[in-house]
Amino acid sequence: MAATFFGEVVKAPCRAGTEDEEEEEEGRRETPEDREVRQQLARKREVRLLRRQTKTSLEVSLLEKYPCSKFIIAIGNNAVAFLSSFVMNSGVWEEVGCAKLWNEWCRTTDTTHLSSTEAFCVFYHLKSNPSVFLCQCSCYVAEDQQYQWLEKVFGSCPRKNMQITILTCRHVTDYKTSESTGSLPSPFLRALKTQNFKDSACCPLLEQPNIVHDLPAAVLSYCQVWKIPAILYLCYTDVMKLDLITVEAFKPILSTRSLKGLVKNIPQSTEILKKLMTTNEIQSNIYT
Amino acid sequence: MASRYDRAITVFSPDGHLFQVEYAQEAVKKGSTAVGIRGTNIVVLGVEKKSVAKLQDERTVRKICALDDHVCMAFAGLTADARVVINRACVECQSHKLTVEDPVTVEYITRFIATLKQKYTQSNGRRPFGISALIVGFDDDGISRLYQTDPSGTYHAWKANAIGRSAKTVREFLEKNYTEDAIASDSEAIKLAIKALLEVVQSGGKNIELAIIRRNQPLKMFSAKEVELYVTEIEKEKEEAEKKKSKKSV
């Protein structure tokens, strides 16, 4: 028990378990209605992988169906914009599938008729080298859906001879450091890699006690367990919405082995990026 | 730890933070960039214009406002908070003129705004103002002034400063390029402000708004054409500098 500033007494959370075992037993008895609701919710939250053109689901996981040597995953709108402007316009990429999922973060409530513009995780491969894959993930994958996502994409027994690169952003206030956040040179990059990733990163490694969250963490953990070489480039920024300076902070990655050979025309890419910025500007009058 | 001490503004955390004030400073970073430069005979305020919705009247989206004939300010952060602060400051300017028969000094009105902001960091049930302001003007003694206030209620005099999104990048540019030569003439000071903004503004000159005050003259807002003229001049100078560099290396 703890007393707060306002004089109220609240129960402090205890990791050892609750004292009231009896109350829990009663709560555990589930009615058929509860079971039905739970099953409905599980169906609603299922992660489905399908081909958009034929609207058919993929029977096996994506990387079991197609051999893969390189897989670049962009999670979040700034990382997605970076890959769109710098990598996707330097070659011909063909869409091989998309992951459709619903959770409380989605704007739509209809799960069966998500339109083609709302496919949140799209997978592409390079036409000239079909073992190079790219994933543009601009939705939030909830904790209970991450394992499903990994299974549907990587499968239950992934190959070890591929290299994974993950790009994502995080707000700079999440970065734990002894300096004050005002003096940090945001946006800045940090990297975290699995044990089997032998190349060096193009930026400093993520210092303790900082941790990675959500889908990027799930992918990295999966790769570490399955001994797949993988590296995560995390951009700490103070502007989480689509922002030119944040996207440009990913530029050092263009010179690494992960993206070598995939980027050709950098000045043109910068122009494409600027266009993306202007078309995607969300009108908000709260801040001026 | 933070979650227990950021609910009520009047509570210090064990390590001495007022989290609501620090969070208010994050709100400032959500506003577009504003830069202020103090020259010898001129003060310049430049802001990144936010793109206006198609059906919206552009005149109602203003980041630079006159507080009196000889003082103006630019803000970054919550629009509504800025409106309230600006209204109070304008009233105070006139009230001062009526009671003391002298226009306010730039420092006086800055101190007024800063005191107002500080009051809101020490009141029960209120939140701080989510804006930072750059206040510029000339005093009766003819000296140019530039002050910056932030949500905590502190204010400082600056030679040049930036607030809002990417303020750090702009401030670093100013630290490198603010020299006595750079502010020697009025046009040089204006060019420095525009150059600083071009470092972070996403689509070039057409998204920059500029205002100047010259000694004993009222606030002048630049039209889009006038800003474009300066931007073209800056680009020309850049090209010439690059040509010179390549000649030297050859």
Side-chain angles (χ1 to χ4, degrees):
Chain A
M1 298 298 206
T4 67
F5 175 76
F6 299 103
E8 51 190 284
V9 175
V10 294
K11 199 168 175 183
C14 172
R15 287 203 278 195
T18 56
E19 296 161 358
D20 311 324
E21 290 291 343
E22 280 178 28
E23 272 182 44
E24 275 205 37
E25 289 261 1
E26 278 179 36
R28 255 188 233 138
R29 268 181 242 135
E30 201 181 48
T31 63
E33 288 90 37
D34 290 339
R35 210 175 300 134
E36 177 69 37
V37 167
R38 225 156 25 90
Q39 280 171 356
Q40 260 186 16
L41 202 60
R43 271 198 296 273
K44 205 174 178 190
R45 294 177 75 87
E46 202 185 310
V47 177
R48 295 189 300 279
L49 214 64
L50 39 84
R51 285 198 72 103
R52 273 201 282 198
Q53 298 90 330
T54 54
K55 293 203 182 145
T56 52
S57 321
L58 271 96
E59 314 81 33
V60 292
S61 71
L62 192 76
L63 297 187
E64 267 171 35
K65 192 168 177 175
Y66 305 97
C68 170
S69 62
K70 216 184 244 192
F71 194 1
I72 308 161
I73 310 176
I75 302 171
N77 52 3
N78 282 303
V80 164
F82 174 74
L83 283 192
S84 294
S85 345
F86 286 88
V87 176
M88 291 195 70
N89 92 336
S90 299
V92 183
W93 294 83
E94 194 190 356
E95 187 180 316
V96 291
C98 73
K100 284 204 162 126
L101 52 94
W102 179 90
N103 53 47
E104 297 74 22
W105 289 75
C106 293
R107 300 274 166 107
T108 56
T109 43
D110 187 344
T111 54
T112 45
H113 297 108
L114 288 170
S115 73
S116 54
T117 51
E118 284 165 307
F120 304 111
C121 273
V122 194
F123 299 89
Y124 303 87
H125 73 176
L126 192 58
K127 252 191 164 163
S128 55
N129 182 358
S131 69
V132 177
F133 280 81
L134 199 148
C135 168
Q136 301 277 57
C137 182
S138 38
C139 68
Y140 178 71
V141 182
E143 294 87 356
D144 57 317
Q145 296 172 314
Q146 283 158 15
Y147 184 71
Q148 266 193 66
W149 191 96
L150 288 168
E151 261 206 328
K152 297 260 160 86
V153 175
F154 287 91
S156 42
C157 196
R159 280 171 260 242
K160 294 183 183 51
N161 56 353
M162 55 181 168
Q163 196 191 66
I164 318 274
T165 309
I166 311 158
L167 306 174
T168 190
C169 281
R170 194 82 192 162
H171 201 276
V172 71
T173 46
D174 274 348
Y175 185 66
K176 293 167 181 59
T177 169
S178 47
E179 298 167 40
S180 89
T181 46
S183 60
L184 289 171
S186 60
F188 57 92
L189 276 184
R190 286 292 183 268
L192 194 60
K193 49 186 180 164
T194 59
Q195 212 165 10
N196 287 62
F197 190 89
K198 300 298 177 198
D199 297 337
S200 56
C202 64
C203 62
L205 292 181
L206 189 64
E207 305 90 340
Q208 291 206 355
N210 292 293
I211 60 172
V212 182
H213 304 257
D214 305 326
L215 188 62
V219 177
L220 261 187
S221 308
Y222 187 88
C223 294
Q224 172 69 2
V225 165
W226 287 103
K227 298 190 169 47
I228 304 171
I231 185 164
L232 162 70
Y233 286 105
L234 179 52
C235 178
Y236 281 102
T237 173
D238 47 10
V239 183
M240 282 308 281
K241 68 176 186 114
L242 197 59
D243 171 60
L244 185 69
I245 300 188
T246 306
V247 176
E248 290 194 330
F250 282 111
K251 267 182 163 169
I253 307 173
L254 296 175
S255 54
T256 61
R257 256 185 59 179
S258 314
L259 291 187
K260 213 203 271 191
L262 294 175
V263 184
K264 272 143 210 152
N265 197 340
I266 295 188
Q268 198 188 49
S269 307
T270 321
E271 282 309 308
I272 296 181
L273 183 60
K274 284 201 178 138
K275 265 197 213 144
L276 241 141
M277 294 293 151
T278 43
T279 48
N280 274 309
E281 252 181 84
I282 308 166
Q283 278 308 316
S284 161
N285 289 313
I286 305 179
Y287 300 99
T288 300
Chain B
M1 255 315 214
S3 54
R4 293 221 209 122
Y5 297 95
D6 61 10
R7 299 272 154 75
I9 177 61
T10 49
V11 179
F12 274 105
S13 72
D15 53 348
H17 286 276
L18 280 173
F19 281 111
Q20 279 299 301
V21 175
E22 293 182 18
Y23 298 167
Q25 276 159 348
E26 288 300 313
V28 170
K29 288 191 202 160
K30 286 188 142 55
S32 59
T33 322
V35 71
I37 295 193
R38 188 184 87 195
T40 338
N41 302 311
I42 188 176
V43 285
V44 187
L45 278 179
V47 298
E48 179 188 352
K49 229 181 352 188
K50 224 183 58 169
S51 60
V52 175
K54 248 187 178 173
L55 298 172
Q56 197 173 45
D57 190 338
E58 213 186 279
R59 287 172 302 166
T60 48
V61 186
R62 282 263 177 267
K63 263 172 86 86
I64 304 178
C65 344
L67 298 178
D68 202 347
D69 297 326
H70 61 299
V71 189
C72 76
M73 77 171 238
F75 68 90
L78 286 157
T79 325
D81 285 8
R83 194 185 64 233
V84 169
V85 169
I86 290 168
N87 281 346
R88 299 255 195 112
C90 287
V91 167
E92 178 61 21
C93 286
Q94 298 313 307
S95 164
H96 186 275
K97 225 189 255 182
L98 287 170
T99 41
V100 187
E101 292 190 358
D102 273 333
V104 294
T105 59
V106 185
E107 201 260 341
Y108 176 92
I109 195 62
T110 309
R111 199 168 357 111
F112 173 81
I113 291 174
T115 314
L116 174 66
K117 285 187 181 178
Q118 192 280 339
K119 269 198 210 132
Y120 278 65
T121 68
Q122 220 174 4
S123 294
N124 210 349
R126 297 195 202 187
R127 61 164 178 80
F129 285 103
I131 64 161
S132 279
L134 288 172
I135 301 154
V136 294
F138 279 88
D139 285 337
D140 263 348
D141 57 7
I143 300 183
S144 57
R145 309 265 183 218
L146 163 64
Y147 288 93
Q148 187 233 339
T149 65
D150 66 19
S152 62
T154 54
Y155 72 96
H156 296 279
W158 290 77
K159 292 183 191 158
N161 199 3
I163 52 175
R165 183 165 45 218
S166 321
K168 201 156 186 277
T169 317
V170 178
R171 208 174 301 126
E172 282 166 4
F173 175 85
L174 289 170
E175 281 174 8
K176 277 193 213 138
N177 294 285
Y178 184 94
T179 57
E180 288 311 311
D181 291 332
I183 52 143
S185 78
D186 292 356
S187 60
E188 286 303 313
I190 294 171
K191 271 192 249 173
L192 180 62
I194 297 180
K195 273 190 241 176
L197 273 176
L198 285 172
E199 293 283 303
V200 297
V201 161
Q202 294 184 5
S203 19
K206 58 181 161 67
N207 270 20
I208 293 180
E209 208 164 60
L210 209 71
I212 60 164
I213 297 187
R214 288 199 169 95
R215 193 178 293 115
N216 296 324
Q217 288 180 32
L219 168 72
K220 177 180 184 324
M221 294 284 303
F222 276 32
S223 66
K225 275 197 200 144
E226 288 169 310
V227 176
E228 268 310 310
L229 280 171
Y230 274 103
V231 172
T232 341
E233 217 182 297
I234 290 171
E235 282 171 0
K236 241 194 250 171
E237 283 174 9
K238 225 183 173 181
E239 274 179 39
E240 282 170 16
E242 276 173 18
K243 274 192 204 155
K244 269 193 195 159
K245 249 193 191 171
S246 52
K247 270 192 194 162
K248 267 192 186 166
S249 57
V250 165

